[in-house]
Amino acid sequence: QVQLVESGGGLVQAGGSLRLSCAASGRTFSGNAMGWFRQAPGKEREFVAGISWGGGRTIYADSVRGRFTISRDNAKNTVYLQMNILKPEDTAIYYCAASRLPTVVTAHGTYDYWGQGTQVTVSS
């Protein structure tokens, strides 16, 4: 079992930056690939970024590649999402998720554990 709690969301002006954190508990945390997803009002939840359990491989959605960086510190049981050059279309609730697999994938169905979400609002 993995428990996840996101933090770091808030209101930011377009072009600004935020860093989201995901604090995880559970003995097998380091064995799970991790992902960030987001869901805007009226839209389907979408994959944003993912990272393998060892941190050696990352995957990004086309919409955020070059602007967002995912990282993890397994010693601290924490996953981060550094978001730069934020755009209004980045506005969404951001969810941290833990996969049951060590290999990072984009499909949300492979993620067994989810945080409660943190709101990110980007103003123009």
Side-chain angles (χ1 to χ4, degrees):
Q1 297 292 324
V2 178
Q3 294 79 47
L4 307 171
V5 179
E6 304 97 332
S7 62
L11 176 65
V12 65
Q13 189 175 354
S17 299
L18 284 174
R19 188 177 75 162
L20 305 183
S21 297
C22 175
S25 61
R27 192 174 65 86
T28 62
F29 168 76
S30 63
N32 295 271
M34 302 293 295
W36 286 95
F37 293 76
R38 67 187 182 186
Q39 187 166 24
K43 295 186 177 181
E44 194 173 79
R45 186 173 300 183
E46 65 174 345
F47 173 83
V48 176
I51 187 167
S52 61
W53 77 268
R57 187 186 181 199
T58 57
I59 301 176
Y60 297 94
D62 290 342
S63 59
V64 307
R65 187 176 295 109
R67 298 188 297 119
F68 291 11
T69 302
I70 187 172
S71 61
R72 68 190 297 167
D73 186 339
N74 290 342
K76 297 181 179 180
N77 291 336
T78 303
V79 180
Y80 305 96
L81 184 67
Q82 178 66 47
M83 305 185 294
N84 298 324
I85 319 176
L86 283 162
K87 305 175 180 179
E89 51 262 45
D90 295 319
T91 295
I93 300 174
Y94 283 71
Y95 298 91
C96 178
S99 173
R100 58 183 175 271
L101 304 174
T103 302
V104 62
V105 295
T106 62
H108 62 80
T110 66
Y111 291 83
D112 288 342
Y113 310 102
W114 296 81
Q116 83 288 346
T118 185
Q119 177 70 48
V120 172
T121 302
V122 184
S123 64
S124 59

